[in-house]
Amino acid sequence: MSIFDTTKKRPNKDTDRFRWNQSWEKDLQDSYLAFARVKNFSPPSNQEASLESHMQLYLHRQTRDICSLQTDLYNIAVQHIASEGFEDEWMKTTQARKEELVLEGLYQVSGIAPDMEGFRKWCPEATIAYLAGNGGRNFLDLLKKHIPENIGVELTKPIYIPNASVDRLIDSQPQSRATAAMVRLHRSYFLTMVLWRMILAFYGNDESYILTKTPRQSHQAVETFRGLVDKDDIREIRRLDKLESKGVVNICWNCGKDPARLGPGKELKACVKCKEIRRIIRYCSRECQREDWKNGKPVPHKAICGKPMMDVDPPEEKETVGADSNDDRIPPPDPGFRRSIALSYQITLLQSMPQCDYVLDMPPPNKDNKGFTLLNPLAKVLFHLARNRAFKNGDPEAVRFLFLSLKSIISVPGDVEILTRQLEREYGIDLANAG
């Protein structure tokens, strides 16, 4: 049975999630195996340019949301990997427990919104067999692909994880560029949410969600895209044209506040010029409206205010500034050397505590990190030389020098063990016999 057969009834995920997931995994496997056997897809056809305009605002809203979500994901992943040894803890978890956590993530994400489960059809990796496979390494590899090389920045462009079968299917079908972009966003959204929910489940945490209503466009968008996408996607587009859907709220386009968080006597107000062309974009305050007018993402509102999306130029690609950019104290890595997530996190800590020579990232339940500063001028110079070598290429001798220097000024015995584990995660070397 194809994953694109929207008439298929699956077992109830709330009462029998195991059989529900089995149904999904079988269809994903069968469908993508079938796609792989097809040698020639029909070539893509060019749709009318006007088709793009109906989806642009939807894509802008989804792009903002997925960038925010992925920024949150990589920040929490970096924290757990760098501070709490998440990689080792995950690999030590039994296979049965890993499979339970994958199933929990898939179940939770599929119930977030009415259409979310349908996004899974674009994610052949969203299976227990894959995410818990290879001893759990597949999950860690997928998670690391969602962490940018230069951490400490807010994403402005979604991280898209390529999949040869999915991309071949999307790019070979007759559809508009906007529809292809929408499908890729749906894939990114589902994968990101599954990774997020798995981490939450691993630590026994939970999180509620507020479903937001995307600014409404004309009903013509639904009819225009009929036949280009399946029923699940038509239903997603149709949501844009409803006045209010159950459980869905309007939000401030800039800060994301919904009416419940505005306070007494305050309400969301729509942009007048956009309202004239039946595009509803709301703000909670003059401040948010001004901020979005000048610095809105992915484009400032002044570029789209009262204009059909076809008249809007695409946003310029801006160079991403990483955690180690624009800081003379942090040398760039040597060619071929890729800094670990933990080391990149150390760099962000140093940038937030510039008076320190190194930062001890204290694990929970400790709340505050400890910054170390060498007072002896000569010792400081030697330490910085070794730190530069370690940052550039992970030189083991330089790392051992860092360890011995920091160990000599640590006054709390338990902190030495924390430092040892931290440096081992940052540089991937064994310090057991470092002295």
Side-chain angles (χ1 to χ4, degrees):
M1 183 71 70
S2 171
I3 51 175
F4 300 100
D5 181 2
T6 58
T7 65
K8 178 172 181 178
K9 301 295 183 183
R10 301 189 187 278
N12 188 307
K13 62 178 177 288
D14 296 321
T15 58
D16 193 348
R17 69 174 69 176
F18 181 77
R19 287 183 58 244
W20 162 79
N21 184 65
Q22 276 190 325
S23 171
W24 260 109
E25 297 210 4
K26 183 179 186 305
D27 285 352
L28 283 167
Q29 182 181 35
D30 292 347
S31 295
Y32 281 99
L33 283 176
F35 298 151
R37 289 194 292 266
V38 177
K39 294 182 179 180
N40 295 305
F41 282 112
S42 58
S45 62
N46 294 323
Q47 303 294 328
E48 293 294 330
S50 60
L51 294 181
E52 304 295 320
S53 66
H54 296 296
M55 291 299 295
Q56 287 300 324
L57 194 65
Y58 169 77
L59 293 175
H60 282 185
R61 176 77 256 181
Q62 291 294 301
T63 297
R64 286 157 55 109
D65 288 348
I66 190 63
C67 285
S68 176
L69 177 64
Q70 289 184 335
T71 298
D72 288 344
L73 171 67
Y74 93 68
N75 279 328
I76 197 69
V78 165
Q79 179 183 340
H80 287 308
I81 290 173
S83 305
E84 302 169 32
F86 173 70
E87 289 183 85
D88 291 338
E89 293 301 315
W90 170 260
M91 294 303 294
K92 292 176 183 177
T93 303
T94 66
Q95 182 66 20
R97 179 57 178 159
K98 291 188 182 81
E99 294 178 2
E100 288 177 4
L101 292 168
V102 174
L103 181 56
E104 179 69 15
L106 294 170
Y107 167 76
Q108 292 290 344
V109 172
S110 295
I112 290 172
D115 300 321
M116 184 64 76
E117 183 176 343
F119 295 177
R120 189 177 177 182
K121 62 179 170 287
W122 303 112
C123 306
E125 308 94 333
T127 64
I128 292 176
Y130 180 82
L131 290 173
N134 195 20
R137 290 181 179 84
N138 290 348
F139 164 71
L140 292 176
D141 290 344
L142 187 60
L143 180 62
K144 289 179 180 179
K145 289 178 181 178
H146 283 79
I147 300 175
E149 185 171 355
N150 294 321
I151 66 174
V153 298
E154 181 180 355
L155 297 175
T156 57
K157 183 178 181 180
I159 296 173
Y160 178 74
I161 307 301
N163 180 287
S165 298
V166 175
D167 293 333
R168 181 171 178 242
L169 177 63
I170 295 173
D171 294 334
S172 301
Q173 295 303 299
Q175 59 190 0
S176 73
R177 288 178 298 167
T179 309
M182 180 183 71
V183 169
R184 287 190 165 91
L185 283 175
H186 288 177
R187 169 175 163 77
S188 296
Y189 209 123
F190 193 87
L191 285 178
T192 303
M193 287 300 301
V194 169
L195 296 174
W196 179 266
R197 292 301 314 197
M198 286 178 62
I199 293 176
L200 288 178
F202 183 86
Y203 287 101
N205 299 324
D206 198 0
E207 186 174 85
S208 58
Y209 298 89
I210 296 177
L211 302 184
T212 59
K213 178 190 172 189
T214 305
R216 177 162 67 93
Q217 291 280 61
S218 78
H219 179 72
Q220 182 184 359
V222 177
E223 302 307 321
T224 301
F225 277 83
R226 186 176 297 281
L228 299 181
V229 291
D230 62 27
K231 292 181 180 179
D232 286 341
D233 293 323
I234 286 291
R235 201 161 52 242
E236 175 71 12
I237 299 171
R238 191 182 298 279
R239 278 202 308 168
L240 310 186
D241 201 51
K242 292 182 179 179
L243 293 176
E244 290 290 343
S245 297
K246 184 178 180 180
V248 180
V249 297
N250 287 298
I251 63 170
C252 174
W253 180 258
N254 182 63
C255 70
K257 286 183 180 177
D258 60 88
R261 294 186 289 164
L262 293 184
K266 295 186 178 181
E267 61 180 2
L268 296 169
K269 294 184 179 181
C271 171
V272 175
K273 287 187 177 181
C274 287
K275 195 172 182 179
E276 290 174 356
I277 62 170
R278 299 191 64 198
R279 178 194 299 144
I280 308 301
I281 295 181
R282 294 181 170 88
Y283 297 101
C284 68
S285 65
R286 289 279 188 185
E287 290 74 20
C288 273
Q289 188 174 18
R290 283 194 292 265
E291 175 64 21
D292 190 49
W293 180 264
K294 296 179 180 179
N295 304 311
K297 298 175 183 178
V299 293
H301 187 68
K302 63 182 178 182
I304 67 172
C305 186
K307 301 176 184 178
M309 296 303 294
M310 283 300 298
D311 298 336
V312 178
D313 294 329
E316 296 182 2
E317 291 289 339
K318 295 181 179 180
E319 183 179 355
T320 300
V321 179
D324 55 353
S325 301
N326 302 323
D327 191 334
D328 294 337
R329 300 175 306 152
I330 310 299
D334 287 347
F337 176 68
R338 183 177 176 85
R339 288 170 177 157
S340 68
I341 294 171
L343 181 54
S344 295
Y345 187 56
Q346 171 65 214
I347 290 173
T348 66
L349 293 177
L350 283 171
Q351 290 184 318
S352 67
M353 303 172 68
Q355 74 279 10
C356 300
D357 297 315
Y358 219 82
V359 180
L360 188 61
D361 184 22
M362 301 299 291
N366 301 285
K367 294 183 179 181
D368 298 323
N369 294 324
K370 295 182 179 181
F372 292 112
T373 303
L374 284 81
L375 300 179
N376 183 286
L378 178 59
K380 181 184 285 286
V381 169
L382 294 175
F383 184 87
H384 283 194
L385 290 173
R387 190 183 71 179
N388 284 348
R389 289 207 313 275
F391 281 176
K392 290 176 66 176
N393 53 36
D395 177 54
E397 291 304 317
V399 176
R400 291 186 178 90
F401 183 87
L402 297 181
F403 171 71
L404 294 174
S405 299
L406 293 171
K407 180 182 176 182
S408 69
I409 60 175
I410 288 178
S411 58
V412 180
D415 287 353
V416 174
E417 178 64 21
I418 296 174
L419 174 67
T420 303
R421 301 285 81 80
Q422 177 178 316
L423 292 175
E424 288 178 342
R425 288 195 298 270
E426 289 172 353
Y427 300 99
I429 68 172
D430 186 3
L431 292 173
N433 299 316

